[in-house]
Amino acid sequence: MAHHLRGSSGTAARPAPEVLASFEAATGFMPVDEGVAVYAAAVEAATRTGLPLLEIGSYCGRSTILLAAAAREAGTVALTVDHHRGSEEQQPSWEYHDSTLVDPEVGRMDTLPRFRRTLHAAGLEDHVIALVGRSPQVAAVWGAPVGLVFIDGGHTDEHATADYEGWVPHLAAGGLLLIHDVFPDPADGGQAPYRVWLRALAEGFTEVSVTGSLRVLRRSGG
Ligand code: SAH
Ligand code: MG
């Protein structure tokens, strides 16, 4: 059972029913219990820091819906980074491939059109800035602090490590680091996000909550 973040009212913020319905209808990989935890963490981080929330791995906008709704709630904005060409495991003939997401003219995946429709349908377009590009390239030119970093991009060591190293320097003191697909047991999934989680703990982050494969950690200070 998940332990949740508590707001000043003593209860964790929950997504409104229509937000949750949009999330459940969206294409993507996040289960509902983890989504509810992402939303609670996002409201907490945005309220505490007053800063934008940053996601790596927009895909079709499923988890972005929750960050955008939290940003709307707290009066800030959600930033989400993706090249929209898919991760290794989403390419043709791989386990997580969805052939409806291929641009036939280009012959490659393109999740941006579905992402845009999803955020439009959820009524949350005005609360999201989509950054289309490779995460390390965007991180290298990014120049402002963020209140939350959610790592849900490429799942190789190369990509997960680059996401951590690129974006953690932009995370404000007291802000939250969320890592998805953390599997301590190799039988449950790839180990790269787990190794990033271990590194974050070794580098001074404090664990806040665990929900399924989602880990929420806080950067010290603030
Ligand atoms: N958060 C989504 C799932 C993300 S899937 C959900 O809730 O459903 C992972 C995404 O990361 C893919 O869309 C892929 O294109 C993107 N990605 C992988 N490596 C990346 C990189 N280096 N830079 C930017 N995006 C990347
Ligand atoms: Mg994931």
Side-chain angles (χ1 to χ4, degrees):
M1 190 57 212
H3 34 116
H4 294 290
L5 289 157
R6 309 269 161 212
S8 50
S9 64
T11 53
R14 274 193 67 89
E18 66 274 15
V19 170
L20 208 50
S22 299
F23 170 81
E24 291 192 69
T27 305
F29 301 106
M30 180 169 283
V32 171
D33 63 332
E34 296 178 1
V36 167
V38 166
Y39 180 82
V43 168
E44 205 263 8
T47 306
R48 176 191 283 241
T49 66
L51 294 170
L53 310 169
L54 183 279
E55 169 179 68
I56 305 124
S58 330
Y59 193 58
C60 299
R62 186 172 167 98
S63 48
T64 314
I65 285 173
L66 301 168
L67 297 180
R72 176 175 63 186
E73 191 69 28
T76 183
V77 71
L79 310 160
T80 184
V81 184
D82 203 310
H83 48 50
H84 286 282
R85 295 301 189 198
S87 298
E88 281 81 353
E89 70 277 13
Q90 295 161 355
Q91 301 306 318
S93 86
W94 287 75
E95 187 181 355
Y96 293 99
H97 183 62
D98 178 344
S99 60
T100 68
L101 295 171
V102 172
D103 175 349
E105 195 171 314
V106 171
R108 295 195 61 191
M109 282 187 66
D110 184 1
T111 50
L112 185 57
R114 182 84 61 92
F115 169 87
R116 299 210 73 200
R117 280 186 218 116
T118 298
L119 271 299
H120 178 263
L124 289 164
E125 263 184 349
D126 291 350
H127 308 280
V128 180
I129 299 173
L131 300 157
V132 181
R134 294 176 54 247
S135 165
Q137 278 186 313
V138 181
V141 299
W142 192 254
V146 297
L148 176 147
V149 170
F150 175 39
I151 299 180
D152 195 20
H155 286 10
T156 62
D157 277 303
E158 179 199 349
H159 288 124
T161 300
D163 293 340
Y164 178 84
E165 291 180 350
W167 289 104
V168 160
H170 301 298
L171 181 60
L176 296 179
L177 173 66
L178 277 59
I179 309 174
H180 197 224
D181 305 303
V182 171
F183 299 113
D185 183 348
D188 297 329
Q191 299 287 283
Y194 172 62
R195 283 190 277 270
V196 168
W197 173 74
L198 288 175
R199 176 167 167 186
L201 288 175
E203 293 184 352
F205 281 86
T206 313
E207 183 128 279
V208 174
S209 72
V210 177
T211 308
S213 74
L214 179 78
R215 298 287 188 279
V216 179
L217 304 117
R218 188 180 310 282
R219 188 167 201 177
S220 60

